[in-house]
Amino acid sequence: MRNTAKLTTAVLAAGALTLGLSACGSDKGSSAASDYSGPLVVAASPTPHAEILNFVKKNLAKKAGLDLEVKEFQDYIVPNTATQDGSVGANYFQTKPYLDDFNKKRGTDIVPVVTVHLEPLGLYSHKVKSTDALKSGATVAVPNDADNESRALKLLAANGLITLKTGAADQATPQDIAKNPKNLTFKEVEAAQTPRSLDDVDAAVVNGNYAISAGLKPAKDALVLESAKNNPYGNLLAVKKGNEKDPRVKKLAKLLTSPEVKKFIEDKYQGSVIPSF
């Protein structure tokens, strides 16, 4: 009986020690998961997103106690996959409809933090000066991702070039066109390539950031430009779900919607990029 009691006491003590070590390990892991030290790395499109972030980094971040690192990406895929896998802490390049579609198709859980600005989508051409001058059978390049293609078709419909079927969903495609009086042909290309396609097509619908990067001035050069009124396509700061509480993200969100950033956007982009706050 005495030996049994000793053995039981030893087992209980070992169990308590193991539990204690496990608890310490859990606390340590939890602390590591919530380690918000070091710079906040943000993935961004070069224009205007990285430019806006670099303005914040140069002029506002230090005073706010934010160590900010900006990583530029040319495409619309990697910034989200890098945010999901933790390679970067946040991204700033996309709209809410695009993000929703990306999460649905890729199984990611990236969430918006704050909407910063709008880049009006525009129709551009190197061959004609107005939509009336587009000939029958003209070729129009549109972005090939679902969200931006739908947005492009809505822009054309809003300006009388096509009519979409009643009830066409947010993910409208050329198959949803009910009327096409100019018999326009649509060429689907990667969004980043739409400015380069202007020499090969009669017109192209180009995202604002790519238009600016290509030297186009949306407020001046677009044949037609998306209206900013009630526009759901504001560009936002986004993080992997759960990282909204990161104090660095909160600081950046506050700075991106500050009066200083609003003035920077208005002065630099002259209506080609519009503050959304």
Side-chain angles (χ1 to χ4, degrees):
M1 288 292 292
R2 185 175 297 173
N3 288 340
T4 304
K6 286 182 178 178
L7 181 60
T8 303
T9 302
V11 169
L12 288 171
L17 179 61
T18 302
L19 250 154
L21 290 173
S22 298
C24 289
S26 296
D27 289 345
K28 185 176 180 181
S30 176
S31 176
S34 302
D35 182 8
Y36 299 135
S37 62
L40 175 64
V41 183
V42 183
S45 298
T47 306
H49 310 80
E51 293 174 347
I52 294 170
L53 287 169
N54 282 321
F55 170 82
V56 169
K57 180 177 180 178
K58 182 178 178 181
N59 299 279
L60 306 173
K62 185 176 180 179
K63 185 177 180 181
L66 174 64
D67 187 0
L68 181 62
E69 182 180 329
V70 183
K71 291 187 71 172
E72 296 186 11
F73 293 86
Q74 295 288 345
D75 75 305
Y76 284 171
I77 306 297
V78 180
N80 272 337
T81 56
T83 302
Q84 182 70 23
D85 68 22
S87 300
V88 300
N91 67 56
Y92 174 36
F93 78 99
Q94 65 192 320
T95 67
K96 180 66 162 51
Y98 179 85
L99 174 59
D100 290 343
D101 183 63
F102 190 97
N103 280 333
K104 182 179 179 181
K105 290 180 177 176
R106 302 264 179 163
T108 48
D109 58 347
I110 301 166
V111 296
V113 177
V114 68
T115 301
V116 182
H117 74 266
L118 172 71
E119 300 162 20
L121 202 70
L123 178 68
Y124 301 84
S125 177
H126 285 171
K127 299 177 181 177
V128 298
K129 299 295 184 183
S130 70
T131 55
D132 290 340
L134 284 170
K135 296 180 180 179
S136 179
T139 300
V140 178
V142 294
N144 65 359
D145 64 273
D147 177 62
N148 283 302
E149 181 174 54
S150 176
R151 187 179 172 188
L153 294 175
K154 289 176 184 177
L155 172 68
L156 300 180
N159 288 276
L161 288 167
I162 60 173
T163 301
L164 293 173
K165 294 176 182 177
T166 302
D170 286 339
Q171 302 301 319
T173 70
Q175 285 67 47
D176 293 305
I177 296 173
K179 295 180 181 179
N180 186 359
K182 286 182 177 287
N183 296 310
L184 300 176
T185 300
F186 296 96
K187 182 178 181 179
E188 297 170 314
V189 301
E190 186 181 348
Q193 302 302 317
T194 49
R196 296 187 182 94
S197 74
L198 283 167
D199 290 330
D200 303 318
V201 298
D202 297 291
V205 179
V206 183
N207 290 74
N209 60 314
Y210 292 132
I212 296 168
S213 295
L216 296 166
K217 297 180 179 178
K220 177 182 177 184
D221 297 331
L223 303 183
V224 295
L225 196 64
E226 207 173 35
S227 171
K229 187 176 182 180
N230 299 321
N231 195 306
Y233 293 103
N235 284 233
L236 49 87
L237 177 69
V239 298
K240 185 176 180 180
K241 188 175 181 180
N243 289 340
E244 308 96 309
K245 61 184 178 181
D246 184 337
R248 300 169 303 171
V249 170
K250 290 181 178 180
K251 286 178 182 178
L252 180 57
K254 186 175 181 179
L255 294 177
L256 283 172
T257 53
S258 65
E260 293 89 344
V261 167
K262 183 175 183 179
K263 185 176 187 305
F264 172 77
I265 291 173
E266 290 173 342
D267 291 348
K268 182 173 179 63
Y269 301 109
Q270 298 292 308
S272 295
V273 178
I274 304 167
S276 298
F277 56 92

